[in-house]
Amino acid sequence: MTLSAPSQPLTGVTPDRFKQAFRAYPAGVVVVTADAGHGPVGFTATSLSSLSLTPPLVSFSVATRSSSWPHLEQARTAVVHFLGSDQEDLAARFATSGIDRFAAPTTWRRLPEGEPVLEDVAGWLRLHIESLVPAGDHRIVVARVVDSWQEPGRRPLLFHDGAYLPV
């Protein structure tokens, strides 16, 4: 299939219109953590996506203006944490700028390989970062899943219309 140039120039949508469209689309909430040797970092994301079964690949995006980006850019591994419906406070903490997200009341430990992993989450994926793809003001992280854990029966936390939505 060949695409021809549009007869009218593409102008796109305004940032507000773009946000409005995605506010109507619910997304699962995760926290991504990593440590590139300068201490643990983490952030809340709704962009996690499954890419491939063989090999097991996922992707998520991170804003290049975020405080976590310089650390994630240098990290070789990361952990994606699936949040349970009762963990809105954890999601909000890791979405807040200018605080120590790993201070109490956050409970966490290190995996045997050194990655920071949050306690009491619904599940997690340990990732080996394979590529960082420029995408506007973000980077798309493509990573191979090398380990996982899941607590059976936990309900997920969703984000919809600008708010957390326990299922």
Side-chain angles (χ1 to χ4, degrees), residues 37-111:
H38 309 289
V41 297
F43 59 94
T44 300
T46 57
S47 58
L48 181 68
S49 182
S50 170
L51 289 179
S52 169
L53 184 59
T54 307
L57 297 175
V58 297
S59 69
F60 59 88
S61 63
V62 57
T64 56
R65 68 185 182 283
S66 76
S67 60
S68 297
W69 166 241
H71 303 273
L72 193 62
E73 183 179 27
Q74 296 176 9
R76 298 202 184 284
T77 61
V79 178
V80 169
H81 305 80
F82 297 100
L83 299 190
S85 62
D86 59 337
Q87 295 185 299
E88 181 178 331
D89 60 332
L90 187 61
R93 188 173 317 120
F94 276 82
T96 302
S97 297
I99 65 166
D100 180 356
R101 296 168 181 154
F102 289 87
T106 301
T107 56
W108 64 283
R109 62 183 169 82
R110 291 196 182 268
L111 292 174

Side-chain angles (χ1 to χ4, degrees), residues 133-155:
V133 181
D137 61 357
H138 280 63
R139 294 297 178 267
I140 299 169
V141 178
V142 176
R144 181 185 299 250
V145 179
V146 295
D147 197 4
S148 68
W149 173 83
Q150 185 175 5
E151 183 180 323
R154 290 280 298 269
R155 311 252 325 145

